[in-house]
Amino acid sequence: MSDRNVALVSGGSRGIGRAAALRLAEDGYAISFCYHSDTESAARLGKELSEIGVDWLPEQLDVCEPDAVRAWVSRTEEELGPIRVAVASAGVTRDKPLLMMSDQDWSQVMDTNLDGVAHVLRAVLFPMVKRKSGSIITLSSVSGVYGNPGQGNYSASKAGIIALTRTLGKEVGKFGIRANTVAPGMIETDMTTAALGEAARRRAVDAIPLGRFGTAEEVAEAVSFLASDKSAYMTGSVLQIDGGIVL
Ligand code: NAD
């Protein structure tokens, strides 16, 4: 069990996290994933992972709770083996212009997207440093690089993820650990479907030079690349997958 490849994915039940879990399973990783509340999606993912033929472990938790995240990481190492790849994908949006944003909308996004990622990274780092190996992949966004009106909370959390990941890259490179960020543009998932009406969606597509939203599977390809030795000389990178929306 101990030399098996294990990948841990937060927010694995849906969207980009789900696609990353399936893609890493295709790469041969056993998968430990967490999710917040959607047990049906989690069960569906488990079934698909079994069909691929890898071991998997689901955990329902809130990434805002550091003790729960630490317990999940320990359980993963005990039941599946050493975590070689960690993907921090769990995230939420609560969009409003800053002027109208409630304290709760601000805190919930910062707690989930920034504190939640920090909890995952701190929990996996200790065993990775001991073993002197690991690849960490965080999910930022083009909003975190360029800002986006109506997404002050989200953009700030995603900019924080970039700073956190780059800092980590500097801190733990000497322990053989790499930390990189993927910054997607508009990707077809529940997150964008819930946030956009039809008119906003058309405007967004018009602003994308490649003329469409990306797919979660296209983002998962980048995750697979950053997890693998093909990216052995990359750390602290921000890989934008955005159809050119920022050009
Ligand atoms: P999604 O809404 O489809 O899925 C979110 C996942 O996060 C779910 O599995 C959910 O259970 C989990 N989650 C949410 N809050 C949680 C919590 N408190 N504790 C544990 N799990 C929690 O979202 P998505 O579109 O797949 O987005 C995944 C990541 O990619 C997010 O960090 C998001 O900000 C980022 N991103 C998405 C897009 C996009 O266009 N969809 C663009 C840029 C960045």
Side-chain angles (χ1 to χ4, degrees), residues 13-16 38 41 44 93 187-196:
S13 64
R14 294 203 319 256
I16 292 169
D38 187 350
S41 299
R44 210 172 310 127
T93 51
I187 307 300
E188 204 76 66
T189 69
D190 291 349
M191 181 177 274
T192 43
T193 308
L196 295 179

Side-chain angles (χ1 to χ4, degrees), residues 207-210 240-247:
I208 300 171
L210 291 185
Q240 281 183 215
I241 302 174
D242 57 18
I245 194 169
V246 299
L247 297 177

Side-chain angles (χ1 to χ4, degrees), residues 11 13-16 36 61-63 89 140 154 158 185 187 189 192:
S13 64
R14 294 203 319 256
I16 292 169
H36 189 243
L61 56 71
D62 186 342
V63 288
S89 184
S140 179
Y154 184 78
K158 294 296 178 182
I187 307 300
T189 69
T192 43

Side-chain angles (χ1 to χ4, degrees), residues 10-19 33-38 41 59-65 69 88-94 108 111-113 116-117 138-143 154 157-158 161 182-194 213-214 216 219 241:
S10 80
S13 64
R14 294 203 319 256
I16 292 169
R18 176 181 175 281
F33 67 94
C34 81
Y35 63 100
H36 189 243
S37 46
D38 187 350
S41 299
E59 184 92 17
Q60 184 170 9
L61 56 71
D62 186 342
V63 288
C64 304
E65 313 260 347
V69 172
S89 184
V92 292
T93 51
R94 296 287 179 275
Q108 194 176 356
D111 291 353
T112 308
N113 294 8
V117 168
T138 55
L139 263 297
S140 179
S141 161
V142 291
S143 302
Y154 184 78
S157 72
K158 294 296 178 182
I161 287 173
V182 179
M186 302 298 288
I187 307 300
E188 204 76 66
T189 69
D190 291 349
M191 181 177 274
T192 43
T193 308
F213 281 22
V219 181
I241 302 174

Side-chain angles (χ1 to χ4, degrees), residues 43-66:
R44 210 172 310 127
L45 174 64
K47 191 164 169 282
E48 287 175 87
L49 291 169
S50 293
E51 282 162 11
I52 293 171
V54 299
D55 288 334
W56 53 278
L57 185 155
E59 184 92 17
Q60 184 170 9
L61 56 71
D62 186 342
V63 288
C64 304
E65 313 260 347

